Amino acid sequence: MLWKTVLLLALADQVLALENGLLRTPPMGWLAWERFRCNIDCDADPKNCISEQLFMEMADRLAEDGWRDLGYTYLNIDDCWIGGRDANGYLVPDPKRFPNGIAFLADYAHSLGLQLGIYEDLGNFTCMGYPGTTLDKVLQDAQTFAKWKVDMLKLDGCFSTPEEQAKGYPMMAAALNATGRPIAFSCSWPAYEGGLPPKVNYSLLADICNLWRNYDDIQDSWSSVLSILDWFADNQDVLQPVAGPGHWNDPDMLLIGNFGLSFEQARAQMALWTVLAAPLFMSTDLRTISAQSVDILQNPLMIKINQDPLGIQGRRILKDKSSIEVFLRPLARDAYAVVFFSRRADMPYRFRSSLAQLGFSGSGVYEAQDVYTGGIISGLQAEANFTVIINPSGVVMWYLYPTGEPEGPQL
Ligand code: GLA
């Protein structure tokens, strides 16, 4: 017991960076919470309750339906998996719902080329009231997750004080490092502190976490998407510079495939999350998802943009009085992602603009590929006007790339 306390204090004292080299691009995968919540009634609802079977079925879908090969490799457990602690204080999963244990699920995920994520909470309880990780349990729980061969930890922040969080998150980062197993670390800390400085120290977070939830939980509605988007755009001067390879802002899960978004809104969430360099965690039933939703989530150019190696988060660069907003994300090879987003509720809007209005200058010639339709718009120059037609609560998204210098005057 004593050596553990000594080690814990030593870890707490060190400012240790999370040197795991993981998540050089935003993580992609599947996370249980938004769609499956804390449904633990396996007697009444065996197909949808939080159980080993649910995760194995989603693992099969990820592996067999093209998701894994596009990069959706994380299979992440959220709240409500814990059964308790054993006589020695070790976490154990609910024995009825996870009869073979978490190591078995991790092996299963790995056998399919996937990675397993798990959830705990720094505090007395998880948000749904299951046993949490108190400060004296940080080291032990990190070792348990490593022993189970877990690949990502989401550490929530219910039922702890700001002081405990300020100690516990760095301590967990150090404890994960000390296991020797690369475990991506998702921190909910900033969401519990209002998401903004001075309470939130983003340079510290970038040192100890691979991603962090900044703001409210997403719910299955368009108003929820908008409130998150507004908060991210309104605070982009703080948030945009702190994201980069290995450390990402997380506006929360994708709703695509669920019940609250129209087709246009689903396309909009995908485009906006991509331009924000956000993690792409689906939270939907992959056993029954529609072909239309699959198309949105499996768009290869969208994924290429989300996973751009520069890892620069985009910004809202224009808020037009017509209720059109434009977001821009710089990409590798002098390319850009541009999202034209309509907040209108009347009819498809003809938005007239130019690259100059979006901040481009010089004589370069660009070509744009429409990310959803595949259409090509060529010969774009700074001063030339163009028109995009944007559906209500929808987007037009461009992959914009230079096509070389314009030809000089003909002699
Ligand atoms: C918090 C988190 C959610 C989810 C729930 C689980 O609200 O922000 O993402 O993990 O807890 O109880």
Side-chain angles (χ1 to χ4, degrees):
M1 207 57 217
L2 185 63
W3 71 266
K4 264 192 194 161
T5 316
V6 171
L7 189 53
L8 204 65
L9 289 174
L11 289 173
D13 266 11
Q14 277 172 294
V15 184
L16 259 190
L18 187 72
E19 286 150 359
N20 61 17
L22 297 173
L23 305 193
R24 306 307 295 169
T25 61
M28 297 171 62
W30 185 90
L31 177 54
W33 180 255
E34 198 293 314
R35 174 63 182 79
F36 292 94
R37 304 286 167 147
C38 195
N39 176 358
I40 56 169
D41 192 349
C42 292
D43 294 330
D45 198 4
K47 290 290 278 180
N48 299 300
C49 63
I50 297 302
S51 68
E52 177 179 293
Q53 192 189 329
L54 180 73
F55 290 98
M56 290 175 75
E57 289 185 9
M58 291 306 155
D60 293 343
R61 299 278 54 81
L62 286 171
E64 288 169 30
D65 297 345
W67 303 105
R68 176 199 61 204
D69 299 342
L70 284 162
Y72 291 97
T73 56
Y74 282 100
L75 170 74
N76 287 7
I77 302 170
D78 207 274
D79 205 347
C80 307
W81 63 272
I82 299 173
R85 290 187 184 271
D86 70 13
N88 296 317
Y90 287 99
L91 283 167
V92 285
D94 182 281
K96 189 170 165 212
R97 292 181 288 113
F98 294 87
N100 294 297
I102 302 299
F104 165 84
L105 259 188
D107 284 346
Y108 189 73
H110 297 153
S111 75
L112 294 173
L114 303 170
Q115 293 149 293
L116 189 74
I118 203 157
Y119 167 100
E120 241 297 15
D121 184 286
L122 183 72
N124 292 322
F125 304 100
T126 72
C127 296
M128 293 306 295
Y130 291 80
T133 302
T134 44
L135 293 180
D136 59 320
K137 288 279 188 290
V138 166
L139 195 62
Q140 185 175 9
D141 290 353
Q143 287 167 351
T144 299
F145 300 140
K147 193 180 77 193
W148 288 343
K149 301 206 184 82
V150 158
D151 305 292
M152 185 184 296
L153 169 66
K154 170 175 169 182
L155 190 63
D156 214 336
C158 278
F159 302 108
S160 49
T161 63
E163 294 70 33
E164 287 163 339
Q165 294 177 3
K167 282 203 185 101
Y169 281 97
M171 201 188 277
M172 179 59 89
L176 291 174
N177 259 354
T179 68
R181 181 174 179 81
I183 299 178
F185 189 27
S186 165
C187 301
S188 301
W189 186 13
Y192 288 86
E193 291 285 14
L196 295 173
K199 277 189 164 177
V200 175
N201 177 347
Y202 277 108
S203 53
L204 170 63
L205 279 167
D207 275 348
I208 63 165
C209 309
N210 294 113
L211 63 155
W212 47 78
R213 282 279 313 283
N214 315 64
Y215 190 61
D216 292 350
D217 288 6
I218 200 159
Q219 308 294 340
D220 194 3
S221 74
W222 181 236
S223 61
S224 172
V225 170
L226 283 183
S227 71
I228 291 171
L229 179 70
D230 286 342
W231 188 84
F232 272 79
D234 291 346
N235 295 298
Q236 63 185 1
D237 289 347
V238 171
L239 303 174
Q240 190 271 339
V242 301
H247 46 95
W248 309 101
N249 293 303
D250 180 6
D252 213 359
M253 290 157 273
L254 298 169
L255 302 172
I256 300 151
N258 294 334
F259 311 99
L261 303 189
S262 71
F263 175 62
E264 292 298 329
Q265 292 163 352
R267 281 183 155 192
Q269 193 196 12
M270 189 71 184
L272 290 161
W273 262 230
T274 290
V275 93
L276 291 176
L280 299 180
F281 287 124
M282 307 182 282
S283 187
T284 190
D285 192 340
L286 297 176
R287 300 165 301 191
T288 56
I289 189 171
S290 71
Q292 209 176 47
S293 298
V294 170
D295 275 354
I296 297 172
L297 290 160
Q298 293 198 350
N299 181 311
L301 182 53
M302 183 71 74
I303 292 170
K304 176 180 151 168
I305 294 169
N306 177 272
Q307 297 289 297
D308 183 82
L310 295 184
I312 299 173
Q313 182 172 323
R315 298 175 67 92
R316 180 169 65 193
I317 54 160
L318 191 73
K319 237 180 139 172
D320 195 69
K321 58 184 184 314
S322 62
S323 294
I324 303 298
E325 297 180 4
V326 183
F327 291 75
L328 187 76
R329 175 177 173 185
L331 304 170
R333 289 179 292 281
D334 300 317
Y336 295 85
V338 189
V339 173
F340 303 92
F341 171 48
S342 172
R343 289 177 183 261
R344 298 176 68 93
D346 52 356
M347 61 185 280
Y349 186 76
R350 298 177 63 82
F351 180 63
R352 199 173 148 82
S353 186
S354 64
L355 292 184
Q357 193 195 12
L358 308 184
F360 287 72
S361 56
S363 58
V365 184
Y366 286 84
E367 196 163 273
Q369 181 170 0
D370 185 307
V371 176
Y372 281 121
T373 69
I376 302 279
I377 303 107
S378 33
L380 288 164
Q381 282 188 277
E383 301 300 332
N385 286 320
F386 58 77
T387 300
V388 284
I389 304 171
I390 317 157
N391 293 340
S393 66
V395 290
V396 168
M397 182 170 183
W398 282 1
Y399 177 61
L400 183 71
Y401 46 91
T403 51
E405 291 305 308
E407 294 186 6
Q410 300 288 320
L411 294 177

